[in-house]
Amino acid sequence: MLTLYPQPLTAEAFAPYGDVIETADRDFFMINNGSTQRFHRLANVQLGAPGDQGIISIFRAQALKMPLAIKMLERHPLGSQAFIPLKQKPFLLLVAEPGENPQPSAIKAFITDGSQGVNYHRGVWHHPILCCVDEDDFLVVDRQGEGNNCDEFFFAEGAEILLDPGK
């Protein structure tokens, strides 16, 4: 049995998987006649083909019962995917580096502080959104275009991977 316990999300720990979208300790410049701080280019939208478009959506997620048996991970080979919490609530992340198939021993678990978003880079394995409250909303920036941009990997029937946030 592999049990994953989330660690606090930091830019350094998350770097192999993507970008942490946050303002803490980030540079900014003033705009709008000095009334607004612009934290510029916190992440890049990665698109795989010239005809691709970056799109913005809202996902409304429902909490799953914890501890959670992890059965699958997904990846987006043709574009990045960013999640920004709209209600300032922490959420959970499960990630594994790009590759043919994710290995259970390579999965990392993180928890955000509620003010952080993430941008999964192209090909990074991750679990679908895992909110920590009954219902939560996320601004999602991802790719629209030709081709299948979602691969799913289901772990073998006997694999026992558990996410335990320790609530």
Side-chain angles (χ1 to χ4, degrees), residues 69-132:
I70 304 304
K71 302 293 184 190
M72 61 83 72
L73 295 178
E74 66 181 28
R75 67 178 175 185
H76 305 286
L78 304 178
S80 58
Q81 188 177 48
F83 288 85
I84 299 106
L86 294 177
K87 296 180 179 177
Q88 300 295 299
K89 302 293 183 192
F91 63 102
L92 296 162
L93 308 166
L94 287 180
V95 292
E97 291 187 33
E100 190 60 33
N101 294 323
Q103 298 303 311
S105 62
I107 300 172
K108 303 289 183 204
F110 297 98
I111 187 164
T112 72
D113 67 10
S115 70
Q116 300 165 304
V118 296
N119 184 46
Y120 296 119
H121 287 174
R122 287 173 48 182
V124 167
W125 291 103
H126 62 278
H127 195 279
I129 194 71
L130 293 165
C131 64
C132 295

Side-chain angles (χ1 to χ4, degrees), residues 8 71 99 105 138 150 160:
K71 302 293 184 190
S105 62
F138 298 86
C150 187
E160 294 184 20

Side-chain angles (χ1 to χ4, degrees), residues 1-166:
M1 165 81 72
L2 172 63
T3 303
L4 302 167
Y5 299 98
Q7 301 301 307
L9 181 66
T10 66
E12 295 77 23
F14 197 72
Y17 316 105
D19 309 299
V20 175
I21 301 170
E22 63 184 335
T23 58
D25 300 321
R26 299 298 294 264
D27 291 333
F28 63 89
F29 56 90
M30 299 304 294
I31 60 171
N32 298 333
N33 298 312
S35 66
T36 304
Q37 294 175 325
R38 180 173 176 154
F39 296 87
H40 186 68
R41 200 174 181 173
L42 297 176
N44 291 318
V45 178
Q46 297 173 337
L47 303 173
D52 289 352
Q53 296 178 324
I55 60 170
I56 298 171
S57 306
I58 292 179
F59 288 15
R60 181 160 292 147
Q62 307 300 313
L64 300 175
K65 186 175 171 30
M66 296 290 167
L68 178 66
I70 304 304
K71 302 293 184 190
M72 61 83 72
L73 295 178
E74 66 181 28
R75 67 178 175 185
H76 305 286
L78 304 178
S80 58
Q81 188 177 48
F83 288 85
I84 299 106
L86 294 177
K87 296 180 179 177
Q88 300 295 299
K89 302 293 183 192
F91 63 102
L92 296 162
L93 308 166
L94 287 180
V95 292
E97 291 187 33
E100 190 60 33
N101 294 323
Q103 298 303 311
S105 62
I107 300 172
K108 303 289 183 204
F110 297 98
I111 187 164
T112 72
D113 67 10
S115 70
Q116 300 165 304
V118 296
N119 184 46
Y120 296 119
H121 287 174
R122 287 173 48 182
V124 167
W125 291 103
H126 62 278
H127 195 279
I129 194 71
L130 293 165
C131 64
C132 295
V133 294
D134 289 340
E135 182 179 276
D136 209 352
D137 289 347
F138 298 86
L139 182 77
V140 178
V141 180
D142 61 354
R143 172 212 173 262
Q144 175 178 291
E146 296 282 328
N148 178 26
N149 192 32
C150 187
D151 296 331
E152 295 179 330
F153 179 83
F154 290 86
F155 294 101
E157 186 68 31
E160 294 184 20
I161 308 167
L162 192 68
L163 172 62
D164 185 354

